[in-house]
Amino acid sequence: MFKQRNWIGLLLAMGVVLILSACGQSATTSSTTGASNNTAVGSETTSGSASGTTDEGKTMTFQSDAGEVQVPKNPQRIVDLTAFSTGYFVALDAPVVGALSGAMNNKYIKDQLISEGTADLGEQPTAEKIVSLKPDLILAYTGTEGIDNLSQIAPVVQIKYGERNYKDLMLELGKLTNREEAAKAWITKWEAQINEVKPKVEAAVGSRTVSILNPYSKGLYVFGHNFGRGGEIIYGELGLKAPSKAQTEAIDSGTGWATISMEVLPEYAGDIIFTSPWSGDKSDPSIVYDNVLWTNLPAVKTGHVFQLDPTSDTYNDPISLEGQLKFITDSLLSVK
């Protein structure tokens, strides 16, 4: 995700107050001042929102990336407008009543969302749809236009995309949903899985380098350690090596990605390549895959190229990572 969407302001600006009045929603606003310390503050108050649990009516002060906000201590109807965080709620067994189409089409969490009755909000959800779900908590990216209008529907927690690694975000959303122990348990289980497969992968791969490359209309994206597509696993957990230029530009830079032209492709291509068409445009990937520079790569000639799923492997939430871990390890262990 390279840009913040600005559609919410356009959709919510017209008629939201009338909608809220008709639906009898209570207004709750969030402060947008202060810096993030990535922690939840434990002060609790009571409110009139029903949660149906022993924490019914209780709220707490949560430190979002846009300042403090009063949220339900145990939210029961979450609307996620980020797509990339939905899998965290699935892993935490937190109730998501509405999510964007990107999350709903993610093969790793699709069945769970459908079974829970999560509504598909599309890619440009309407105010009417959000209000109809009666959320008690909304998650959105910082910088999204229309936050003030959203906060008239339910408390809005804003997060910055890429601000935290996936373990830290898991812990943060565990605090937000009153599921800290579940978040910690997932991390413990995940680390045990990594410790089991890492020695096997290291033995199979040896000193060979690994690249993550996506064709797009003007060349290729080179991905690193924190932008999905298996990078968190390949470089972060398994500690495999990237080609030196990819290491410098996509990992050491901290950005998680870089763009290159076809002419310099051999300098960024590893001995092993994970790839998929770029999901952000409609360009024909065969422009790259049929190019002589690609077909002459050692990884291509030796059959060490593995196709990622462009609809689902872009995600780096816990459930998606679990699915990617199996595909990545099976692929790497097949390398001769």
Side-chain angles (χ1 to χ4, degrees):
M1 174 179 175
F2 299 107
K3 298 179 180 178
Q4 302 292 350
R5 291 189 174 93
N6 60 11
W7 42 261
I8 292 181
L10 298 175
L11 292 166
L12 294 177
M14 299 179 62
V16 69
V17 175
L18 292 175
I19 295 167
L20 293 173
S21 176
C23 294
Q25 299 293 320
S26 62
T28 306
T29 58
S30 62
S31 167
T32 56
T33 61
S36 169
N37 293 318
N38 296 341
T39 58
V41 182
S43 61
E44 297 176 11
T45 60
T46 58
S47 71
S49 65
S51 66
T53 71
T54 56
D55 291 319
E56 180 177 351
K58 290 185 178 181
T59 65
M60 68 176 183
T61 303
F62 187 82
Q63 182 69 45
S64 78
D65 289 342
E68 292 182 350
V69 56
Q70 289 294 122
V71 301
K73 187 178 179 183
N74 194 1
Q76 297 297 299
R77 300 187 63 81
I78 302 168
V79 165
D80 179 22
L81 299 178
T82 71
F84 288 91
S85 302
T86 308
Y88 290 88
F89 294 127
V90 173
L92 291 166
D93 196 25
V96 180
V97 296
L100 299 183
S101 290
M104 296 296 297
N105 292 327
N106 178 353
K107 67 182 182 182
Y108 299 116
I109 61 174
K110 181 177 182 178
D111 290 344
Q112 297 96 312
L113 293 173
I114 292 174
S115 67
E116 291 298 319
T118 304
D120 187 338
L121 296 173
E123 292 301 338
Q124 297 183 337
T126 64
E128 292 88 346
K129 184 64 175 178
I130 296 173
V131 170
S132 72
L133 294 174
K134 300 180 181 179
D136 59 3
L137 180 68
I138 298 173
L139 190 72
Y141 284 125
T142 56
T144 302
E145 293 184 11
I147 293 295
D148 289 343
N149 289 322
L150 278 174
S151 66
Q152 295 181 61
I153 301 173
V156 180
V157 168
Q158 300 179 59
I159 60 173
K160 294 179 181 177
Y161 180 82
E163 181 76 1
R164 305 166 185 82
N165 65 45
Y166 66 91
K167 292 180 184 177
D168 289 342
L169 184 55
M170 181 63 159
L171 292 172
E172 195 70 1
L173 295 181
K175 295 174 186 176
L176 177 62
T177 58
N178 197 24
R179 289 164 170 78
E180 291 182 74
E181 292 307 312
K184 293 175 183 177
W186 182 87
I187 292 172
T188 299
K189 179 182 176 182
W190 171 256
E191 291 177 343
Q193 290 179 283
I194 295 297
N195 290 337
E196 179 181 353
V197 302
K198 187 173 181 178
K200 301 174 186 177
V201 170
E202 289 176 331
V205 175
S207 61
R208 286 178 283 198
T209 57
V210 183
S211 293
I212 306 172
L213 303 171
N214 280 189
Y216 80 116
S217 59
K218 297 180 180 179
L220 296 98
Y221 282 112
V222 180
F223 288 102
H225 62 306
N226 63 352
F227 230 86
R229 300 160 181 85
E232 288 82 1
I233 296 170
I234 292 167
Y235 302 124
E237 298 292 2
L238 299 178
L240 301 178
K241 297 189 301 181
S244 59
K245 286 207 169 184
Q247 177 73 37
T248 299
E249 297 178 29
I251 300 176
D252 295 343
S253 66
T255 60
W257 59 279
T259 58
I260 62 171
S261 64
M262 280 297 300
E263 289 73 20
V264 298
L265 170 61
E267 301 176 54
Y268 293 80
D271 302 306
I272 301 166
I273 296 173
F274 288 87
T275 186
S276 74
W278 169 240
S279 59
D281 65 31
K282 302 297 183 182
S283 58
D284 184 356
S286 66
I287 296 173
V288 170
Y289 293 147
D290 292 343
N291 188 290
V292 67
L293 287 171
W294 179 273
T295 58
N296 281 335
L297 292 174
V300 176
K301 289 185 173 182
T302 56
H304 294 165
V305 176
F306 303 99
Q307 284 285 335
L308 298 165
D309 184 336
T311 68
S312 303
D313 288 333
T314 55
Y315 293 86
N316 54 8
D317 62 83
I319 305 298
S320 297
L321 287 174
E322 289 175 350
Q324 291 167 26
L325 179 62
K326 175 172 174 48
F327 172 73
I328 289 169
T329 53
D330 287 349
S331 298
L332 293 172
L333 293 175
S334 74
V335 171
K336 304 299 182 182

